[in-house]
Structures are given as C-alpha cells and as structure tokens.
C-alpha cells in the first residue's frame, strides 16, 4: 500500500511572561482555528478573592445550603436515596484496598490520580452526610499517602490536575476535622506539587492553558480547585491561577460551537465535559457565579450530542478516539445538564434506580454528581430529534427511528479531518445499526500505553506521521472512500454541505478536500429512504491523476458475496448490500483479522467490503456510486 508523503512544518509561538496580567491580556486576542474566542467574565484578582470567595466550608461543589438540601433529598427522593446508597457501598469497598503508591504506567501517573479522585468522591460524600470518624480516618490516610509522593508527575499534567482536584475536595469536605498536620501537608502539596508546576520557570505558558482540547478543561479545572483550596494561604498565586484559567478555558469551549458536537468523541465528552461541569459547580458554590462558563455557546447543546451518540445496541457512535460501549450505570455528567435545563431526556432515572448491588463501580466524579442529581427538577420532556446534525471541527449527522422503533434504526455519519484532536482519517465514514445489530462498524480506539511503550509515535499528526499506519486511525479501516489506495489529506476538512430532516432525512457531505487533487470533486449523500434501509450515494468527478476509487464498508458480520452486492449475517439476522450503480463490477472482501500490523487493534471477524472502480471505466470523468443497505 503506497502513500504520498506530505510534510507539514509546525510553527510554535512562545509568549513570555513579563507579568501574568500582560500575558493573559495578549492571549485574549488569540484565535482558535480562525474562530473568534468569546471571553468569560473575569474580574479575578487578589481583592476579588478577598471580597467574594465564600469564607465558610464546604465551598467546593457543596456549600451549607446545597448540603442541607441534599441531606433532605437523601431521605425523601428515591433517586437521590438510591444513588447515595451506591456511593456508600462504593465507599465501603475502599477499606479493603491498600493505600495508593506512586507507581507510574509508562509516562503516566494518571491511573493513581483517578483512583484518588474516585476514593475522595465516595468517602468524602459519605463523610459530609454522616460525619463518621472511620471515614475521616481513611480520608486522612489517603491524603497523607498521596501528599507524601515526591511529585504528582508534572511532565504529564493531567495527572497533576486530577490529583489536585482530589486533594482539594478532600481538604474542603473535611475542613477543620483533619489533624492540623494533615491539613498543612495537603495545602503545601497543592501549592508545591499542584499549582507551582503549572507556572513553568522558563517563562513559557503551558500548552494546555490555552489549548483547544480536553487538557485545557481538565488542567484548568484542577488548578481552579487547588487555588480555591489554598486561597487564604497564597492569595496572589491563587488569584493569578484562577484568572489564567478563566481566560484560557474558552479556547477549549469553542470546540463545542456551534451545535454541541464534541470533536474528540463521546467518551472524551465525558472526560472534558465532566471536568467542565464540576468546575462550574465549584465556581458557583465558592463565588456564587460561574462567570458565564455554563452558558458558553454550544456547551449546553452538547448534552443532546452525548445522548444521540448512545446507539440502541449499547454501542456509542464511537468515532475519533472513543470507547466502544457505554457503561451500565446512569450518566452523572449528563444529569448536570438535566439540572440546568430541566429536560427529562437528560436524566437517566431508570439507571439511577437500579439496585445498588447491581450497579457497576461508580465513576470518579459520581460523588459530586449526586449534588446535581439532587438539584434536578423536571421542566421539559423534549422529544429527541430523529434526524440531527452538528457542525464544527468534526461535524456529524445522526438518523434514528422513533422512541419505540421496532427496527431500532441508527445511523451516524461524519465529516472532519485527521488533524482534529484525537481525530482519524475518517471523513465520510459511517456506522449503521438495524434490528439490534451493528452492521457497519467503526474500528474505534486502542490502548495508548501499549503503543507508546514500543516507541510508536501516536500523537504527531503530519501527513506522513506514524499514527496513520494504524487502521483504526487511517481511512483504510473506515467505511468511506479511498482514491489510488492513498491516505486522506490530513488537513482536508470534510463538511456538511446540506441537511434535510424531513420524512426521508438526508444529508450531503463535501468530501473533495479529503482527496487533495486526486478527485476534482466528491460529494457523499446519506439518505434514510425507508425505516429499514440506508442509501449511500457518492457523486465524483475524477482527474488525470485518478487511477482507482474504492468504496469501503467495515463490518464484523459474516459476508456472502452475491450478484450485485453482498449479504451480511449476524445474530440470526441478515442485511443486504445492494450495488445499484455498477452492476458490472463485483464486490470483494478483505480480512482485517488478524490486523495488517502487529500494533493494530485486533477485532475478531473484522473485514472490509470493497467496490473497486478503475478510473478507465468512468465515462466523461463523472460517475455516481450508489449502494443501498436494506433489511433482508
């Protein structure tokens, strides 16, 4: 398989800190990918902290009024009572575990930081509700253990951020009850191992502070928590750190614009958005305002994106570096959006009411999520759209059936480009489910650490970079078009050209940029032409450089090639793939199991169905490829 090598030179602009006010003022003018970045209200300085920061504790997520209401709801509200029971059960399980040690996995301490955040959320919430001395002792032991680490791994700052949030919550939710020595140790650790490493001594701004991905949300959120926790001890350091965070966060939030699509995929939505909502909750409890964070354009719209990415089979629409399937428990992050909007669709009541011994291990922010679960009041039961599009840097389209659709119809298609955060060369790709089977699959994500340990360069995204040798990342592993057996253009943005959400919804993607001269034009249309079918039509115009156009579909179903198409079989069901446009050409099957490379993800039964169209068969340089997927 040959590829053309395109070398992109990246210019990095370093801004030096003459003072923190001057630097942030300069960065206010910065733009993200040509999009103007709206700013949050940001009055934070030392004087603002002194006059506006809540003096009493708790003040992170909880405050006296919220806590009083929560205690009442635990007794009176079945959902809150059940979820608190689950938190309590999780807290009890922690006693059987050893205290945490500073053990890295590759370049990350992240697993340890996340486990600490989980333990604090479970133990800390139980302590706030019950004031049990045994819980306090365990929280004390946990704090002493992690605060005595030599550091929190600042070279991978996500680790520092999650640990800082954990220690800040533990310190705040036990304020005045821990031994004085532990409180002093925790405060000094937040300053020396948390906040200070976020201000590099070389005068450069950390990349994440004004970045446009989840690192911005997680790291700035962790630094806000730490700064509130130590504000009385180091007010100047706390003020400038919160100021930088409020100034930098919008550079990540623009990625939600305009419609709420999170470009890194649904599981990364949970990560980045989870840290955003807990940061908003901390700002509101500590200052009485979120500084406009929660009303940022596109942010609340992302709840619909998250919900629509949950397919009927339990799979996610797992584009980008997204996990495959959602968990069994209720979505605590989505519950924040239910609280803020009153929309019942975002409140997974049935899952929150599952018997606690049937739930899986709770998520690490679920202790805090109990607060917004308790604050939810139904105001709206909005009907979910059965055809929806979201524009942005990684645009997607979703078609579904009605709520009680007997066929459980689900289609997800996308544009985008490889160079988006956690992106793949998957512009024009799609997934398709019918009758409880995912017939067309996305190969999804694979473990980062196992790749990194081999020296594999997973994170560089130039045209010829190593990332694109993996079939989970390149176009050869996705249900899209490939020309001349070449990679898609890494910066070739595939966009939504038009969209119709009528009785037979359809959308057209402008795919020409993905081929960078190998095609004169390419548009892909998806059309839900019946409750049990999907038609994919590619209208292309070739150039003198076009040699071969390959139509691709990836599946784990069994495949039988038949005249004018193929039949897929899985779980005692079948789906017909009809070649409507090129009856003179037969489809073929390429096995992707075992995968082409040793480092590729191994997906049992994965294969690629191809319809290969030589350029010499295209009359007048134009052709239309029409393929229909229909219940058999």
């Amino acid at each position: 398989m040959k590829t053309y090598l395109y070398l992109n030179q990246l210019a990095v602009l370093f801004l030096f800190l003459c003072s923190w006010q001057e630097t942030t003022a300069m960065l206010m003018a910065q733009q993200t990918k040509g999009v103007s970045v709206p700013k949050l209200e940001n009055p934070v300085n030392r004087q603002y902290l002194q006059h506006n920061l809540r003096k009493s504790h708790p003040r992170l997520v909880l405050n006296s009024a919220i806590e009083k209401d929560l205690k009442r709801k635990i007794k009176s509200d079945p959902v809150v009572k059940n979820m608190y029971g689950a938190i309590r059960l999780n807290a009890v399980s922690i006693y059987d575990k050893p205290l945490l040690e500073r053990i890295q996995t590759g370049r990350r301490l992240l697993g340890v930081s996340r486990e600490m955040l989980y333990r604090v959320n479970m133990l800390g919430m139980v302590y706030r509700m019950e004031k049990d001395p045994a819980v306090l002792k365990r929280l004390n032991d946990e704090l002493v253990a992690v605060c005595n680490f030599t550091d929190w791994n600042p070279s991978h700052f996500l680790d520092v951020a999650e640990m800082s949030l954990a220690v800040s919550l533990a310190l705040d939710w036990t304020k005045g009850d821990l031994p004085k020595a532990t409180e002093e140790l925790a405060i000094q650790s937040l300053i020396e191992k948390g906040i200070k490493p976020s201000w590099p001594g070389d005068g450069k701004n950390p990349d994440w502070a004004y970045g446009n991905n989840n690192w911005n949300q997680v790291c700035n959120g962790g630094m806000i928590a730490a700064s509130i926790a130590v504000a009385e001890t180091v007010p100047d350091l706390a003020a400038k750190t919160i100021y930088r965070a409020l100034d930098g966060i919008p550079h990540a939030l623009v990625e939600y614009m305009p419609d709420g699509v999170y470009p890194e995929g649904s599981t990364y939505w949970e990560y980045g958005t989870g840290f955003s909502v807990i940061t908003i909750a901390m700002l509101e409890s500590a200052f009485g305002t979120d500084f406009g964070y929660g009303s940022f354009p596109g942010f609340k719209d992302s709840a619909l994106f998250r919900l629509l990415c949950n397919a009927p089979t339990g799979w996610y629409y797992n584009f980008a570096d997204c996990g495959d399937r959602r968990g069994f428990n209720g979505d605590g992050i989505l519950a924040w959006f239910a609280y803020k909007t009153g929309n019942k669709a975002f409140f997974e009541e049935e899952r929150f009411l599952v018997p606690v011994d049937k739930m899986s291990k709770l998520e690490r922010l679920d202790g805090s999520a109990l607060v917004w679960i308790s604050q939810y009041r139904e105001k709206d039961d909005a009907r979910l759209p059965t055809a929806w599009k979201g524009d942005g840097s990684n645009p997607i389209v979703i078609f579904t059936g009605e709520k009680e659709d007997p066929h459980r119809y689900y289609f997800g298609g996308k544009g985008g480009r490889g160079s988006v955060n956690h992106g793949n060369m998957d512009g024009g790709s799609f997934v398709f489910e019918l009758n409880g089977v995912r017939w067309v699959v996305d190969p999804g994500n694979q473990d980062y650490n196992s790749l990194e340990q081999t020296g594999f360069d997973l994170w560089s995204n130039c045209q010829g970079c190593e990332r694109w040798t993996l079939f989970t990342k390149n176009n050869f592993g996705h249900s899209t078009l490939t020309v001349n057996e070449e990679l898609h253009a890494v910066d070739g943005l595939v966009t939504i050209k038009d969209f119709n959400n009528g009785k037979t919804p359809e959308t057209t993607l402008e795919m020409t940029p993905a081929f960078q001269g190998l095609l004169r034009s390419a548009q892909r249309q998806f059309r839900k032409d019946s409750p049990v079918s999907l038609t994919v039509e590619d209208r292309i115009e070739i150039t003198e450089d076009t040699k071969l156009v390959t139509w691709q579909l990836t599946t784990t179903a069994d495949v039988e090639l038949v005249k004018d198409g193929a039949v897929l079989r899985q779980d005692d069901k079948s789906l017909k793939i009809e070649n409507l446009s090129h009856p003179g050409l037969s489809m073929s099957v390429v096995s992707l199991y075992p995968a082409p490379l040793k480092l590729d993800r191994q997906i049992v039964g994965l294969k690629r169905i191809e319809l290969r169209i030589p350029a010499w068969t295209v009359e007048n340089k134009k052709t239309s490829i029409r393929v229909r997927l229909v219940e058999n």
Side-chain angles (χ1 to χ4, degrees):
M1 185 179 298
K2 62 176 185 175
T3 59
Y4 291 140
L5 179 62
Y6 298 94
L7 297 178
N8 292 338
Q9 295 183 341
L10 303 178
V12 180
L13 176 63
F14 294 107
L15 297 176
F16 291 89
L17 295 172
C18 301
S19 69
W20 64 272
Q21 294 98 333
E22 291 173 357
T23 301
T24 50
M26 285 189 288
L27 285 164
M28 285 177 67
Q30 181 177 326
Q31 298 195 338
T32 300
K33 292 184 179 178
V35 178
S36 295
V37 180
K39 307 306 296 181
L40 299 182
E41 174 193 352
N42 196 354
V44 177
N45 54 30
R46 176 174 179 153
Q47 291 71 32
Y48 184 89
L49 289 187
Q50 290 173 337
H51 288 98
N52 293 281
L53 179 61
R54 181 182 290 274
K55 303 299 187 291
S56 61
H57 296 268
R59 64 188 184 192
L60 292 179
V61 181
L62 293 165
N63 59 36
S64 56
I66 294 172
E67 187 171 78
K68 182 178 179 181
D69 182 65
L70 179 55
K71 287 179 177 178
R72 181 174 62 84
K73 290 288 180 56
I74 287 174
K75 296 178 180 178
S76 63
D77 186 303
V79 172
V80 179
K81 181 179 180 180
N82 197 62
M83 284 305 299
Y84 179 68
I87 290 168
R88 203 171 188 282
L89 189 64
N90 275 248
V92 169
S93 71
I94 294 170
Y95 292 107
D96 295 329
K97 299 177 181 179
L99 294 174
L100 295 169
E101 299 180 39
R102 195 194 181 289
I103 301 174
Q104 284 189 217
T105 302
R107 66 191 185 101
R108 296 173 176 83
L109 189 66
L110 194 54
V112 177
S113 297
R114 288 176 170 176
E115 177 64 17
M116 180 62 176
L117 186 52
Y118 162 76
R119 293 184 183 188
V120 168
N121 263 263
M122 301 303 119
L123 294 166
M125 184 54 68
V126 172
Y127 183 70
R128 286 313 309 174
M129 297 300 102
E130 301 181 24
K131 292 298 183 77
D132 184 342
V135 179
L136 181 66
K137 181 182 184 305
R138 181 64 187 216
L139 278 167
N140 179 76
D141 294 344
E142 297 280 2
L143 270 176
V144 170
V146 300
C147 289
N148 278 319
F149 288 0
T150 53
D151 59 52
W152 293 339
N153 198 33
S155 63
H156 191 258
F157 207 82
L158 290 178
D159 312 8
V160 177
E162 295 216 28
M163 188 68 81
S164 294
L165 176 58
V167 172
S168 299
L169 290 173
L171 187 60
D172 181 71
W173 289 359
T174 61
K175 191 66 176 178
D177 297 340
L178 290 170
K180 186 176 180 181
T182 302
E183 284 200 359
E184 291 176 350
L185 175 64
I187 289 170
Q188 285 306 307
S189 295
L190 286 171
I191 295 169
E192 300 297 331
K193 297 168 186 173
I195 301 174
K196 284 187 176 179
S198 80
W199 293 96
D202 59 7
K204 300 173 184 175
N205 213 37
D207 292 339
W208 52 259
Y210 288 82
N212 66 342
N213 60 15
N214 65 79
W215 281 61
N216 179 321
Q217 295 164 280
V218 175
C219 297
N220 277 318
M223 292 304 95
I224 286 174
S227 297
I228 293 173
V230 303
E232 287 82 2
T233 304
V234 284
D236 288 328
L237 180 62
K240 79 171 186 175
T241 303
I242 296 173
Y243 184 96
R244 178 188 62 190
L246 292 178
D247 200 49
I249 283 168
H251 291 261
L253 297 185
V254 293
E255 292 297 302
Y256 292 87
M257 295 171 59
D259 302 312
V261 173
Y262 197 73
E264 301 173 40
S266 187
T267 49
Y268 272 99
W269 177 94
E270 182 178 11
Y271 188 32
T273 307
F275 267 78
S276 282
V277 301
I278 197 172
T279 301
I280 291 168
M282 292 188 295
L283 292 171
E284 290 177 331
S285 59
F287 295 105
T289 177
D290 69 356
F291 302 96
Y293 196 158
S295 57
F296 198 91
F299 184 70
K300 285 181 182 169
D301 296 324
S302 74
L304 185 56
F305 160 79
R306 168 68 163 182
L307 199 61
L308 289 173
C309 281
N310 295 330
T313 57
W315 284 70
Y316 289 121
Y317 177 17
N318 58 328
F319 70 88
D321 281 349
C322 179
D324 292 339
R325 293 177 177 269
R326 68 162 301 178
F328 180 73
N329 298 342
D331 192 332
I333 306 306
L334 196 59
W336 181 89
F337 293 85
Y339 151 54
K340 288 295 184 179
T341 65
N343 191 340
K344 184 179 179 180
F346 303 147
F347 194 75
E348 298 188 325
E349 182 172 347
E350 289 185 7
R351 288 175 178 256
F352 291 141
L353 285 173
V354 168
V356 298
D357 60 341
K358 303 296 184 185
M359 290 186 187
S360 56
K361 179 181 175 181
L362 297 182
E363 297 295 331
R364 61 190 181 280
L365 296 181
D366 276 351
S368 301
L370 184 68
V371 171
W372 42 85
I373 290 172
S374 74
Q375 293 172 321
Y376 165 68
R377 305 286 187 279
E378 182 182 341
K379 300 176 185 175
D380 185 21
D381 188 8
R383 184 177 178 181
L384 294 179
T386 55
W388 181 84
K389 79 168 177 75
D391 283 307
S393 60
N394 212 2
I396 69 168
V397 175
I398 291 174
F399 301 155
T400 69
E402 298 290 346
K403 186 175 182 180
E404 302 300 328
D405 174 25
H407 303 291
R408 304 175 74 190
Y409 189 105
Y410 187 87
F411 157 82
K414 70 180 298 295
R417 57 186 167 193
S419 57
V420 73
N421 293 318
H422 287 278
N424 300 323
M425 290 179 171
D426 59 358
S429 68
F430 66 104
V431 299
F432 183 62
E433 293 184 4
L434 195 69
N435 297 323
V437 176
R438 177 158 290 194
W439 298 104
V440 183
V441 304
D442 188 295
N445 195 15
Q446 57 190 108
D447 180 65
Y448 301 154
N449 183 64
S450 60
L451 290 168
E452 292 168 345
Q453 290 305 297
T454 68
F456 188 89
D457 182 5
L458 182 60
W459 302 112
S460 297
N461 62 5
C462 64
Q463 183 67 41
C465 283
E466 198 168 18
R467 179 179 177 90
W468 313 123
T469 63
L470 300 174
F471 80 81
T472 56
K473 313 305 178 191
N474 63 40
N475 43 289
F476 305 109
H478 291 87
S479 300
T480 184
L481 292 178
T482 291
V483 179
N484 294 358
E485 297 186 320
E486 299 292 342
L487 294 172
H488 282 188
V490 70
D491 288 320
L493 178 62
V494 176
T495 56
I496 299 173
K497 185 176 181 180
D498 54 53
F499 172 78
N500 183 342
N501 62 352
K503 187 176 181 180
T504 54
E506 62 184 43
T507 190
T508 301
L509 304 181
E510 178 53 72
M511 292 188 61
T512 311
F515 304 109
Q516 208 166 65
L518 296 180
L519 293 178
R520 190 176 307 281
S521 66
Q523 291 83 39
R524 165 162 280 199
Q525 182 188 73
F526 297 106
R527 186 168 184 260
K528 181 185 178 183
D529 52 5
S530 84
V532 294
S533 62
L534 172 75
T535 295
V536 184
E537 181 172 3
D538 294 293
R539 296 183 289 271
I540 63 173
E541 183 175 358
I542 66 173
T543 71
E544 296 300 326
D545 294 323
T546 310
K547 306 302 179 187
L548 177 69
V549 177
T550 305
W551 187 97
Q552 302 169 182
L553 183 147
T554 51
T555 185
T556 54
D558 294 329
V559 180
E560 178 189 0
L561 297 178
V562 297
K563 183 180 179 182
D564 298 337
V567 175
L568 307 186
R569 291 187 175 89
Q570 188 171 319
D571 299 339
D572 297 321
K573 299 181 177 71
S574 62
L575 184 83
K576 180 71 181 295
I577 302 177
E578 299 175 339
N579 172 10
L580 301 178
S581 60
H582 290 73
L585 298 176
S586 298
M587 290 183 168
S588 57
V589 180
V590 178
S591 176
L592 297 175
Y593 180 75
L597 300 179
K598 184 177 180 180
L599 291 178
D600 274 323
R601 183 182 183 185
Q602 300 295 326
I603 302 175
V604 176
L606 187 68
K607 52 192 70 74
R608 182 175 68 237
I609 299 174
E610 297 183 343
L611 180 61
R612 297 164 70 86
I613 302 170
W616 61 264
T617 66
V618 177
E619 296 182 2
N620 300 318
K621 298 191 181 240
K622 292 183 179 181
T623 191
S624 176
I625 309 168
R626 283 200 308 130
V627 178
R628 188 171 188 247
L629 286 61
V630 61
E631 181 182 53
N632 192 39

